[in-house]
Amino acid sequence: TPSGSEDTGVLGGGNDQRPSVEQPEKNQDGKQGEVGAGDTSVPISETDGLGELEPNQEYDAEFATQSEYKPRSKSPLINAALCPVNLRDQMYHALDQLEARVGNVDDYLVRELKWLKGGKQELFSILDGGQVDAAALAIDQIKRGAALITGDQTGMGKGRVAATVLAWAQANGYIPVFVTASDTLYTAMISDFKDIHADHMVPFITNTGLVLRDENGDELYRNDASNRQKDKINQITASGKLPDNTNLIFTTYDQIGKDRASGYRETKREAGRRKKLRIPVPDGARTAMLRSLAGNVVFVMDESDKAAGDSDVNYRMMQMLMGWDIHNHEQAGIQRPIGKWITAGSHSRITM
């Protein structure tokens, strides 16, 4: 998906648009090298994506690193964006393939987002063109057992795309799981649900004793203390169902990575052997819950790089997404496959 640019002075418009750079005017001090006035002036050598251009040097699109992103969606909401030139053709090709499978991208998303009752008019009121493209690609990929990474720059609206996918999952019978870097980011996702008219999304939060407040300080959510929360988690594990009045899970990478069975101990040698085999410590209650649900879960992983590397959170996420289950921790070298999984980076379904 496209990346945004805070530099509104330059838009790469594709190979058929060739803006030129004019001779910079002298400023009040008689100096050249800057255009504009006041705080908005920028050195001409800082033209984003084009490298350093000499005065009157024509911009050659062949050497540009960014190009204007042209959404496939016809949403009138516009968030001007640039995309890497070396990804542009592949992105447009992916959208071509999407529309060949599902038809018009806007019509497709209207059909998939079942909580929206106002058709394209309502869709266009909540998502801009780039967000429609990204959400449609993500949903199609999930349904096809594939993956989507949304790598947009800050401010381009990834949160609404993520919220759209989570709400879509819930509307289609899955259990949505939102994994993020910190519980301080939960409130932003709740706000994104409101923005996409999905106020019906109410999370079960794995943290204990947590209180969420909106920007006005009003309480949005209050979680149970430790013992009652653990009882609820165990009930979810046993039943496969979320508590009444909730329909998705909020958790963090720390909650997954640091969760371990009560009383578990290991020597340094045992830990080294376990990590060499990329096996996590025995599951605590939270991870056991997620693992029990993973066959019917859509995972949306915010800041997913936090799940990378040599760590328990990485081992556990890879197991849940790729279909490995560790039951016999005394034989830490044994990984038992529990079935063939369709995975999407954000989606895994077991098909025994």
Side-chain angles (χ1 to χ4, degrees):
T1 55
S3 296
S5 174
E6 296 179 355
D7 184 354
T8 58
V10 177
L11 281 178
N15 292 336
D16 58 342
Q17 298 183 17
R18 292 174 171 264
S20 61
V21 180
E22 297 180 356
Q23 179 73 27
E25 298 178 359
K26 294 182 178 180
N27 58 25
Q28 294 178 349
D29 298 326
K31 297 179 180 179
Q32 289 186 342
E34 295 188 345
V35 294
D39 293 337
T40 61
S41 62
V42 294
I44 197 168
S45 62
E46 293 183 7
T47 307
D48 189 15
L50 303 180
E52 296 187 6
L53 297 180
E54 297 297 329
N56 292 327
Q57 178 184 349
E58 188 181 56
Y59 157 60
D60 190 340
E62 180 181 354
F63 298 102
T65 60
Q66 298 186 51
S67 175
E68 180 184 2
Y69 179 73
K70 299 177 181 178
R72 189 62 50 92
S73 168
K74 301 303 180 184
S75 173
L77 294 179
I78 298 174
N79 194 356
L82 300 176
C83 63
V85 167
N86 61 340
L87 296 179
R88 177 188 57 207
D89 291 346
Q90 290 85 349
M91 290 163 59
Y92 292 153
H93 180 61
L95 288 165
D96 290 339
Q97 291 181 315
L98 172 65
E99 291 198 318
R101 286 190 298 271
V102 305
N104 176 272
V105 66
D106 295 319
D107 292 336
Y108 173 65
L109 210 54
V110 167
R111 294 195 304 270
E112 291 292 333
L113 306 187
K114 298 176 182 179
W115 70 93
L116 298 183
K117 305 302 180 183
K120 287 185 184 179
Q121 182 176 1
E122 186 176 8
L123 175 68
F124 291 166
S125 73
I126 62 174
L127 298 177
D128 65 38
Q131 291 169 327
V132 171
D133 289 358
L137 284 167
I139 290 169
D140 178 66
Q141 290 288 84
I142 291 171
K143 294 176 72 173
R144 295 168 60 240
L148 184 82
I149 298 174
T150 304
D152 294 337
Q153 186 171 313
T154 301
M156 296 304 296
K158 295 187 296 296
R160 287 199 187 189
V161 175
T164 299
V165 173
L166 289 165
W168 169 85
Q170 187 274 331
N172 284 272
Y174 299 108
I175 298 176
V177 177
F178 176 58
V179 190
T180 189
S182 168
D183 56 29
T184 60
L185 299 173
Y186 292 162
T187 304
M189 182 53 64
I190 292 174
S191 177
D192 285 320
F193 283 138
K194 182 177 180 180
D195 290 338
I196 65 166
H197 303 172
D199 303 76
H200 60 282
M201 299 297 290
V202 180
F204 173 78
I205 297 177
T206 62
N207 310 66
T208 58
L210 182 68
V211 178
L212 298 182
R213 300 184 184 277
D214 63 17
E215 61 274 11
N216 299 318
D218 296 328
E219 185 174 309
L220 294 172
Y221 183 95
R222 179 179 292 274
N223 217 355
D224 289 322
S226 180
N227 289 339
R228 290 190 61 190
Q229 183 72 351
K230 187 174 181 179
D231 288 343
K232 287 186 177 181
I233 288 173
N234 289 334
Q235 289 171 10
I236 295 171
T237 304
S239 68
K241 298 179 180 179
L242 298 183
D244 292 342
N245 303 317
T246 65
N247 50 20
L248 79 154
I249 294 172
F250 278 8
T251 192
T252 66
Y253 296 109
D254 273 353
Q255 293 271 297
I256 296 172
K258 295 180 179 180
D259 189 37
R260 59 175 57 200
S262 178
Y264 176 75
R265 298 288 186 273
E266 64 183 356
T267 66
K268 184 177 293 186
R269 182 178 180 182
E270 290 169 338
R273 181 169 180 262
R274 174 179 61 79
K275 292 179 179 179
K276 185 176 181 180
L277 294 168
R278 302 187 67 79
I279 295 175
V281 297
D283 292 343
R286 296 185 187 94
T287 308
M289 174 193 69
L290 291 174
R291 200 185 291 279
S292 72
L293 300 174
N296 193 42
V297 159
V298 170
F299 285 103
V300 174
M301 301 168 64
D302 182 35
E303 299 190 38
S304 57
D305 59 289
K306 299 289 191 286
D310 190 23
S311 65
D312 282 335
V313 66
N314 173 262
Y315 307 155
R316 282 174 168 154
M317 291 306 304
M318 291 300 293
Q319 286 176 355
M320 286 187 281
L321 293 171
M322 301 303 294
W324 292 95
D325 196 10
I326 308 302
H327 284 296
N328 190 343
H329 294 288
E330 287 72 28
Q331 300 180 40
I334 298 176
Q335 293 187 338
R336 183 173 68 84
I338 60 175
K340 178 183 177 184
W341 291 61
I342 302 171
T343 67
S346 59
H347 174 226
S348 53
R349 178 195 293 177
I350 189 169
T351 55
M352 296 299 290

